[in-house]
Amino acid sequence: MATDDATSNVQHTVTPSTAEVSISSVMTEKRKFPPPADFALNAHVSSMAEYEKLYAAAEADPDAYWGGIAEKFHWFKKWDSVLEWNSPYAKWFKGGKTNICYNALDVHVNSWRKNKAAIIWEGEEGDERVLTYGELHRQVSKFANVLKIAGIKPGDRVAIYMGMVPELIIAVLACARVGAVHNVIFAGFSAHAITERVNDSRARMVICADGTRRRGGSINLKNIVDEAIVNTPSIRSVIVLKVTNEEVHMHNGMDHWWHDLMGLAADECEPAELDAEHPLFVLYTSGSTGKPKGILHTTAGYMIHAASSFKYVFDIKDEDIYFCTADVGWITGHTYMAYGPLLCGATMLMYEGAPNYPQWDRFWDIINRHKVTILYTAPTAIRAFIRAGNEWVTKHNLSSLRLLGTVGEPINPEAWMWYHKVVGQGRCPIVDTWWQTETGGIMVSPLPGATPTKPGTATRPLPGIAVDVVHKDGTPCVANEGGYLVIKKPWPSMLRTIYGDNDRYEKTYWSDFNDMYFTGDGARKDEDGYIWIMGRVDDVVNVSGHRLGTSEVESALVSHEAVAEAAVVSRPDELKGNALVAFVTLKDEYVGDMTLREALRNHVAKEIGPIAKPDEIRWAKGLPKTRSGKIMRRLLRELATSNEIKGDVTTLEDFGVLENLRDQEND
Ligand code: PRX
């Protein structure tokens, strides 16, 4: 079994000659956890040998591999070619006609799964709804008819701005059924963000709710939409779902109640027979500079990778209850809530609200009550749970869990160990899944019945996915040498472009490395071929001539018993080029003082080496994060450099956290 108590051996391994062209990696994690034998026995892929065989076959003949997966779906007309690649533009399954909504619903309704639960929904106040595949199909068909009555045609863009209620997924699937292109806008975004996204995609309709519940209160979403659409000439109508009974103003001719329109719509709606490359959705993601990028995904390639990656990474079985804590406003919610689980006929649990409402044990309480078997969440949530204390977790019976997943950021090895021990009780494999809005689906991840895991690495690429770590000139790095993470071959769920901006698409992803997709991430590949993500290359710092991934210094800090969360950035320093500034959130029972500062500096020096010792440590009650939970290091860099913030803070979740992060060395 696993070498549970082996220590994390974090060492300085940089060689000065490579520091110019690559990124120094300073972390070597020695712990290794093979899949539990009983898990492997029943898994879809149950050994490394089986994985290697699949990987080699996909590499030798990608067309046969992807074509073989595509055969399992329903096509109105079969494709003529699997891939037409005109770099950097891909056409997958050209000539084929299909419908992703048909594959997610109708195929199950025509099988024994008709009365199986598709969505088990729990509201923040504890209310529950269960939608079977049959019922979901009926609601989606009705709403697809509503869209048609409202004049929505294939290819029209539809913006969706709602909290986490089943109707959000119903709206998404209804768009797919009629061939409309959905653009889900996370319900935490401002009026300005909606205006920007609606105008960029020239959406014709907004589907929203009157409000959304949040931590016992509610937010009026319709008022925000009203403010946003003053400046959106393309919008013709707004459909409003009643959720919170907010007071809202309905504009004559423009605004319609969801329930009124559903009352008029028929139960059956033929799915549109769409080209394989028909646009499915646009999802906006922030770039490091400039306006958000509208990432465009299309129908068939996205469909087959969403479904097959879901099946293999989560080892999904019909008996599973799968709980993904993401919001449908992000790509994780698109691929692994709205589409992947339904395409596989799975049962998914959808929770409306906050993880700490009414208390810090909400997720664990949900898992116990619904007997959840698979949990997929983010490192930011895991770190928050660590901070809140183990007792919130351990007081619940989590024996139904068999698999855990994480996504969104590098997971610090100590947070991984906590997830493994406290949540998984040492029993559940962890799939650390690396991917991006742009990749559409998981690219690098363990297969839980096959891949031995190591805390902090997403391990190996999925079959059919060709990732590598390269130098600036595109030549491959040797084992354990840090470099740039690239994808060397097209894959079916890849973005097709940035909506309306092919130039930006080519420049952002395809201009740094000849004919390879650049992910923007730094990484290293270890001696087992495992990929260790070192964060965005923007988060790389140069200290005394060594380029360090700040995430590694963060992991060293988090491995100290007092630390719950840490973010490390650099500020210019005359002597060293850059000095490291660490923002540290302590566990509740610890107090930040000079002694602890010194102890943490020494701890990092011991774990990594003196070069990585933070020059300054600031105590933080919380760290500034985007609404999807990523730490906004850009703001921290500004604070560290000038003690003030002039840059854009519109994506910041909680403005309060910035207050106490200024210079504190004198306190
Ligand atoms: O830096 C990587 C990080 O998140 C980026 C993609 O962000 P986004 O498009 O918002 O999608 C997040 C959900 C798929 C990546 O470039 N990232 C994502 N997953 C991981 C990760 N970093 C390390 N390990 C992961 N498992």
Side-chain angles (χ1 to χ4, degrees):
M1 260 311 285
T3 46
D4 214 37
D5 53 359
T7 49
S8 153
N9 178 11
V10 185
Q11 280 172 359
H12 191 65
T13 58
V14 65
T15 49
S17 59
T18 57
E20 292 290 306
V21 288
S22 60
I23 303 164
S24 305
S25 178
V26 289
M27 193 164 82
T28 52
E29 169 64 59
K30 297 289 184 211
R31 291 168 289 200
K32 206 166 182 175
F33 298 84
D38 53 342
F39 192 104
L41 197 65
N42 300 308
H44 292 309
V45 178
S46 54
S47 69
M48 264 325 245
E50 212 180 311
Y51 159 82
E52 301 280 11
K53 205 168 140 202
L54 273 171
Y55 194 89
E59 195 173 30
D61 191 348
D63 279 16
Y65 177 75
W66 294 116
I69 294 179
E71 299 274 2
K72 303 195 176 88
F73 293 79
H74 178 87
W75 295 83
F76 301 108
K77 176 177 174 285
K78 200 180 165 182
W79 58 91
D80 301 321
S81 59
V82 173
L83 170 65
E84 189 182 282
W85 179 234
N86 187 4
S87 179
Y89 297 97
K91 288 201 167 89
W92 284 90
F93 307 106
K94 198 177 158 193
K97 284 195 186 289
T98 187
N99 185 294
I100 191 170
C101 176
Y102 185 94
N103 278 287
L105 298 180
D106 302 50
V107 292
H108 306 308
V109 170
N110 297 333
S111 78
W112 68 268
R113 290 197 183 100
K114 180 170 184 220
N115 296 322
K116 179 180 172 177
I119 302 176
I120 301 172
W121 178 83
E122 179 164 316
E124 216 184 46
E125 296 305 328
D127 34 343
E128 284 181 19
R129 287 165 66 187
V130 177
L131 281 90
T132 60
Y133 274 91
E135 180 58 14
L136 185 60
H137 177 259
R138 204 174 68 87
Q139 298 276 337
V140 168
S141 302
K142 259 169 122 47
F143 196 67
N145 283 327
V146 167
L147 294 175
K148 281 186 174 172
I149 295 165
I152 294 297
K153 301 262 175 317
D156 284 349
R157 274 81 54 210
V158 172
I160 303 176
Y161 184 69
M162 310 166 93
M164 286 284 284
V165 288
E167 283 77 4
L168 171 53
I169 291 183
I170 292 171
V172 160
L173 292 171
C175 285
R177 194 165 189 87
V178 303
V181 182
H182 54 79
N183 168 14
V184 182
I185 301 170
F186 173 58
F189 275 132
S190 63
H192 170 75
I194 302 174
T195 307
E196 198 174 27
R197 286 159 176 74
V198 163
N199 284 341
D200 190 71
S201 62
R202 296 190 307 284
R204 291 200 51 183
M205 173 189 273
V206 179
I207 303 168
C208 69
D210 55 350
T212 183
R213 285 185 275 251
R214 201 65 184 168
R215 292 198 177 88
S218 71
I219 301 162
N220 188 315
L221 298 178
K222 174 65 166 58
N223 283 350
I224 301 174
V225 170
D226 287 348
E227 190 187 333
I229 65 168
V230 171
N231 299 313
T232 58
S234 59
I235 293 294
R236 301 270 178 277
S237 52
V238 178
I239 299 182
V240 188
L241 175 76
K242 224 183 234 292
V243 174
T244 52
N245 290 311
E246 305 289 312
E247 203 168 302
V248 295
H249 186 72
M250 297 294 279
H251 300 89
N252 248 347
M254 177 73 130
D255 298 347
H256 308 273
W257 285 110
W258 173 293
H259 55 265
D260 286 345
L261 298 175
M262 286 291 261
L264 303 173
D267 271 8
E268 276 170 30
C269 174
E270 281 300 302
E273 299 189 5
L274 301 167
D275 283 339
E277 280 295 337
H278 186 80
L280 177 64
F281 65 86
V282 182
L283 182 61
Y284 284 82
T285 175
S286 42
S288 46
T289 53
K291 63 173 186 164
K293 299 176 285 198
I295 304 302
L296 178 74
H297 284 285
T298 59
T299 301
Y302 175 83
M303 171 172 81
I304 73 154
H305 189 59
S308 68
S309 60
F310 181 74
K311 174 177 166 183
Y312 288 110
V313 171
F314 296 103
D315 189 49
I316 200 75
K317 307 278 166 48
D318 263 312
E319 308 76 50
D320 277 315
I321 296 186
Y322 160 84
F323 177 20
C324 171
T325 69
D327 192 289
V328 177
W330 310 114
I331 190 68
T332 306
H334 278 59
T335 309
Y336 297 111
M337 291 187 80
Y339 289 114
L342 298 176
L343 286 163
C344 291
T347 297
M348 138 179 66
L349 194 133
M350 177 181 193
Y351 168 56
E352 179 184 40
N356 58 349
Y357 183 82
Q359 306 191 97
W360 272 108
D361 62 346
R362 186 60 183 264
F363 283 5
W364 322 118
D365 185 36
I366 289 177
I367 290 167
N368 177 26
R369 274 186 291 107
H370 294 279
K371 301 291 170 250
V372 168
T373 57
I374 303 171
L375 172 68
Y376 192 30
T377 192
T380 181
I382 295 169
R383 293 188 304 252
F385 293 131
I386 295 174
R387 195 177 172 202
N390 293 4
E391 59 281 7
W392 292 113
V393 189
T394 51
K395 72 179 194 185
H396 293 282
N397 178 355
L398 304 184
S399 59
S400 58
L401 282 174
R402 67 182 194 95
L403 177 60
L404 304 173
T406 131
V407 61
E409 276 180 288
I411 180 165
N412 313 118
E414 290 318 311
W416 192 103
M417 286 306 300
W418 182 89
Y419 199 26
H420 172 73
K421 282 188 184 160
V422 180
V423 179
Q425 295 158 352
R427 180 185 71 241
C428 308
I430 296 180
V431 286
D432 174 356
T433 62
W434 178 89
W435 58 297
Q436 308 179 299
T437 306
E438 291 87 341
T439 68
I442 294 169
M443 306 296 276
V444 182
S445 168
L447 297 182
T451 319
T453 52
K454 305 179 196 178
T457 166
T459 74
R460 302 273 296 266
L462 298 188
I465 304 298
V467 299
D468 206 356
V469 178
V470 299
H471 299 117
K472 229 182 170 118
D473 64 6
T475 54
C477 292
V478 298
N480 287 318
E481 188 186 6
Y484 303 87
L485 186 69
V486 295
I487 304 171
K488 292 164 100 168
K489 279 192 193 152
W491 65 102
S493 62
M494 65 192 284
L495 79 164
R496 297 304 193 262
T497 190
I498 292 175
Y499 192 80
D501 198 346
N502 284 351
D503 270 0
R504 193 172 178 200
Y505 168 68
E506 290 174 20
K507 277 202 197 86
T508 310
Y509 304 110
W510 298 95
S511 62
D512 291 293
F513 301 93
N514 191 22
D515 215 19
M516 293 190 266
Y517 168 90
F518 180 40
T519 62
D521 283 351
R524 79 180 154 93
K525 204 154 65 162
D526 72 12
E527 57 287 350
D528 294 328
Y530 283 26
I531 306 283
W532 296 75
I533 304 293
M534 294 158 69
R536 308 291 297 166
V537 288
D538 312 346
D539 296 331
V540 165
V541 294
N542 195 317
V543 181
S544 303
H546 302 297
R547 300 187 70 193
L548 299 173
T550 48
S551 72
E552 298 186 331
V553 186
E554 288 161 8
S555 286
L557 283 164
V558 174
S559 71
H560 188 280
E561 58 180 8
V563 177
E565 189 162 42
V568 174
V569 297
S570 69
R571 63 169 157 71
D573 181 273
E574 272 182 27
L575 213 57
K576 304 164 81 174
N578 284 291
L580 291 179
V581 182
F583 294 81
V584 172
T585 305
L586 295 173
K587 289 188 187 150
D588 282 347
E589 61 272 29
Y590 288 88
V591 181
D593 57 17
M594 280 315 284
T595 317
L596 187 54
R597 271 201 185 96
E598 244 351 85
L600 291 184
R601 282 195 186 114
N602 292 335
H603 180 71
V604 174
K606 184 171 104 289
E607 293 284 296
I608 300 182
I611 190 173
K613 210 166 158 172
D615 297 274
E616 202 188 306
I617 291 179
R618 299 189 188 184
W619 308 121
K621 286 212 185 74
L623 294 171
K625 293 187 186 159
T626 62
R627 293 187 166 93
S628 65
K630 287 193 178 30
I631 296 168
M632 293 182 77
R633 291 185 180 72
R634 175 174 58 80
L635 298 185
L636 294 174
R637 259 194 304 273
E638 273 192 79
L639 271 177
T641 309
S642 64
N643 253 326
E644 57 183 343
I645 291 177
K646 296 208 187 79
D648 180 22
V649 290
T650 47
T651 53
L652 182 64
E653 194 200 13
D654 176 2
F655 291 89
V657 300
L658 291 180
E659 282 313 307
N660 67 337
L661 301 181
R662 292 169 219 282
D663 191 0
Q664 305 164 349
E665 283 287 288
N666 300 324
D667 61 31

